[in-house]
Amino acid sequence: MTLRPLNIDPNKCFIGGAWVNALGGGTLDLMNPSDGSVLCKIARGDAVDIDRAVGAAGAALAGEWGQATASERGRVLAKIGRLVLENIDELATLESMDVGKPLTQARADVVALARYMEFYGGAADKVHGETIPYLDGYTVYTLREPHGVTGHIIPWNYPMQIIGRSVGAALAMGNTGVLKPAEEACLTALAFAEIARQAGLPDGALNVVPGLGAEAGSALTKHPRVRHISFTGSVGVGKLIQEVAAAHVVPVTLELGGKSPQLVFDDADVDAALPFLVNAGIQNAGQTCSASSRILVHRSRFDEVVMKMAAKYRDLRAGPALDDHHIGPLVSMRQKEIVDEFIAKGHDLEIAARGEIIDGAPSGGAYVTPTLFADVDPGHTLAQDEIFGPVQVVIPFDDEAEAVAIANGTDFGLVASVWSQDGARQMRLAKQLRAGQVFLNNYGAGGGVELPFGGTGLSGHGREKGFEALYGFSTLKTVAAYHG
Ligand code: NAD
């Protein structure tokens, strides 16, 4: 398979500006989740390949990329953004086939990737230091400097968007990077590297080493020359990475998912809320860190909300990704099994509605029937654990205090939203909800290139997106000059 029109071989690593074989010589099968066939072989990079990639990234730091001015870096990123858009059909098709994402959603992800490049291209020369009034005879100022070689370990659910927010911000600040995409979906990471090369990103500034988490991922985390690690994925691996990084005292940004609630009050405009209530749960088949998997509803509106959400669920269809149904397959059979097991754990609950897997969907595809559970106890597994599938629970509450207690009653804290016309309540809850982002009368699953994003609790720490990411991908130096 060749990734046309980029003409790259997916069975390679991208190191030092060149397409090279993984030195171990191993390959992995990349599965097509829509039918269970093998899409292509990808490189199985290991510690040796990671070491080469880190070496190339170190050389780029001492070379062209390290010496580029902030505006030169910005210009390259902006050009990458333009080339991303020029290749929208190719990139969307790759992401759709690889992740199992409906084509329309994959196209939106390409646009988001281009937006990240535009945003961070424009922001590269707008991160300024400060002057600080100090003692008589002194001038004190601060400098924002890159960490150096940064490691980016990303998951399979939104490869392009996560490359945009993580690699884009790191490069804007003058870092170089090694990207380890997920073994389940890495084609757009490879395509992105080729686009960046064509846009003039100097050799070694970005390197991509596909492979297994326990091999390439682990080697990247452990490498002593990597000075910052950004990780998006599961809580278990996030903890491991933080532990390993501690050995080198390296900062980590962890984005580990959530159990994000939307709170619907008695005075809410339910019809305006409805598309957000459902879409935020089923977008990308629910495999979204900021998916809204819990819908908390004031008891006076409970039956109405359940009835209206159920009507939408009955219309949901899951089918092959390129055919662009509401929902594609999950990324893998393993992920399907996890989600089906969760649904089975709801055997004692009321199923308000289910969608359908289309007739004729390939039997080897990782399809899950979208399922809405009503009247779920907040302590139930389905209301506590991240499911990462097209499954939502609706939970009733009687007053504001109870709504906040339920909303804050999981170990996660990523996103929350409040649906209410009461301005004072909106302000109170924006403060009281434990989340990195709070939306008032809207919900933004994964949206908003400009909006700082990240979690509290088991959702992780550190912020990506917006200008905040640029502070995270740089270190602050204070210069104190005595001149008398
Ligand atoms: P994962 O955490 O195992 O994988 C994410 C990335 O980490 C991949 O690139 C993987 O290769 C890498 N990795 C795995 N082990 C590693 C190690 N020891 N050292 C360094 N890197 C390593 O996630 P998963 O198994 O693909 O998914 C499992 C669950 O994680 C999902 O069901 C979901 O709940 C959650 N998840 C969350 C997000 C998110 O956006 N926050 C994304 C994907 C998965």
Side-chain angles (χ1 to χ4, degrees):
M1 179 187 186
T2 302
L3 306 185
R4 281 176 294 135
L6 300 165
N7 283 323
I8 51 173
D9 180 352
N11 186 10
K12 303 269 188 197
C13 305
F14 183 71
I15 297 177
W19 292 99
V20 297
N21 290 320
L23 277 187
T27 57
L28 298 167
D29 286 342
L30 192 69
M31 305 306 290
N32 178 350
S34 288
D35 61 13
S37 64
V38 176
L39 265 178
C40 60
K41 300 265 184 207
I42 57 165
R44 180 174 175 171
D46 62 10
V48 179
D49 303 296
I50 289 290
D51 189 52
R52 281 195 298 165
V54 173
L61 211 54
E64 212 185 321
W65 192 248
Q67 282 156 23
T69 63
S71 60
E72 284 165 350
R73 295 196 301 267
R75 208 170 296 133
V76 173
L77 291 181
K79 184 157 184 205
I80 297 175
R82 285 196 296 279
L83 287 190
V84 163
L85 279 185
E86 280 174 24
N87 286 284
I88 186 167
D89 292 337
E90 175 76 1
L91 288 169
T93 305
L94 288 178
E95 194 84 319
S96 180
M97 287 192 312
D98 202 0
V99 179
K101 192 178 286 246
L103 202 52
T104 306
Q105 291 176 35
R107 286 183 78 83
D109 288 359
V110 181
V111 174
L113 171 59
R115 273 289 297 135
Y116 278 113
M117 294 301 130
E118 282 165 10
F119 181 86
Y120 286 119
D125 59 0
K126 293 169 190 69
V127 178
H128 304 149
E130 295 178 318
T131 53
I132 302 173
Y134 189 50
L135 303 175
D136 191 30
Y138 282 82
T139 297
V140 179
Y141 59 95
T142 59
L143 296 171
R144 283 258 161 215
E145 297 181 338
H147 291 292
V149 178
T150 54
H152 305 260
I153 300 175
I154 67 165
W156 38 261
N157 54 345
Y158 288 86
M160 283 191 290
Q161 291 220 28
I162 297 171
I163 288 168
R165 74 186 193 207
S166 156
V167 171
L171 290 175
M173 290 311 289
N175 299 281
T176 58
V178 177
L179 168 63
K180 209 299 280 173
E183 47 272 47
E184 294 87 351
C186 65
L187 295 182
T188 52
L190 297 169
F192 178 80
E194 176 59 20
I195 285 175
R197 189 189 69 76
Q198 291 178 12
L201 187 70
D203 295 351
L206 173 65
N207 307 273
V208 183
V209 181
L212 297 174
E215 296 175 358
S218 170
L220 182 56
T221 318
K222 288 180 182 150
H223 202 290
R225 286 189 67 192
V226 173
R227 300 313 307 158
H228 181 282
I229 294 168
S230 106
F231 171 77
T232 303
S234 62
V235 175
V237 174
K239 286 180 181 171
L240 198 68
I241 284 177
Q242 179 155 346
E243 228 175 275
V244 175
H248 302 290
V249 196
V250 167
V252 293
T253 301
L254 298 180
E255 206 276 86
L256 309 178
K259 195 72 190 169
S260 299
Q262 299 196 60
L263 282 60
V264 183
F265 282 88
D266 47 356
D267 61 344
D269 181 344
V270 166
D271 291 329
L274 199 59
F276 293 88
L277 299 180
V278 176
N279 290 346
I282 57 109
Q283 175 185 316
N284 201 31
Q287 304 165 115
T288 305
C289 44
S290 50
S292 176
S293 46
R294 295 186 297 153
I295 307 297
L296 281 45
V297 186
H298 189 266
R299 207 173 290 278
S300 66
R301 308 292 296 276
F302 188 77
D303 290 345
E304 176 194 357
V305 170
V306 170
M307 184 190 71
K308 289 181 170 171
M309 287 185 72
K312 283 199 168 283
Y313 258 76
R314 283 187 206 99
D315 286 342
L316 292 176
R317 296 289 173 271
L322 290 175
D323 295 348
D324 212 20
H325 299 277
H326 306 110
I327 295 178
L330 301 199
V331 73
S332 62
M333 289 308 270
R334 173 175 157 251
Q335 194 65 26
K336 168 188 158 56
E337 279 158 21
I338 295 173
V339 174
D340 280 341
E341 267 173 40
F342 269 114
I343 294 174
K345 284 181 192 164
H347 62 86
D348 52 336
L349 300 175
E350 176 195 339
I351 291 184
R354 303 196 81 179
E356 278 178 25
I357 299 169
I358 61 152
D359 286 344
S363 59
Y367 301 100
V368 164
T369 308
T371 307
L372 179 69
F373 289 97
D375 210 0
V376 178
D377 184 275
H380 195 284
T381 310
L382 295 188
Q384 286 288 319
D385 296 341
E386 185 176 50
I387 299 173
F388 238 57
V391 180
Q392 287 177 290
V393 298
V394 195
I395 303 171
F397 66 80
D398 287 303
D399 58 36
E400 189 178 299
E402 191 191 5
V404 173
I406 296 172
N408 290 346
T410 73
D411 293 330
F412 295 100
L414 193 57
V415 176
S417 93
V418 177
W419 293 91
S420 169
Q421 307 298 324
D422 180 340
R425 172 185 281 148
Q426 292 169 7
M427 294 302 113
R428 269 195 307 277
L429 266 62
K431 286 190 176 167
Q432 291 172 11
L433 289 170
R434 203 165 68 100
Q437 286 186 331
V438 175
F439 291 91
L440 304 173
N441 291 321
N442 71 107
Y443 191 94
V449 167
E450 308 84 349
L451 312 181
F453 174 74
T456 60
L458 285 193
S459 292
H461 54 73
R463 294 291 175 264
E464 291 187 326
K465 303 189 180 182
F467 263 73
E468 275 309 315
L470 299 171
Y471 305 137
F473 277 112
S474 58
T475 175
L476 193 74
K477 180 184 279 174
T478 305
V479 181
Y482 177 68
H483 39 68

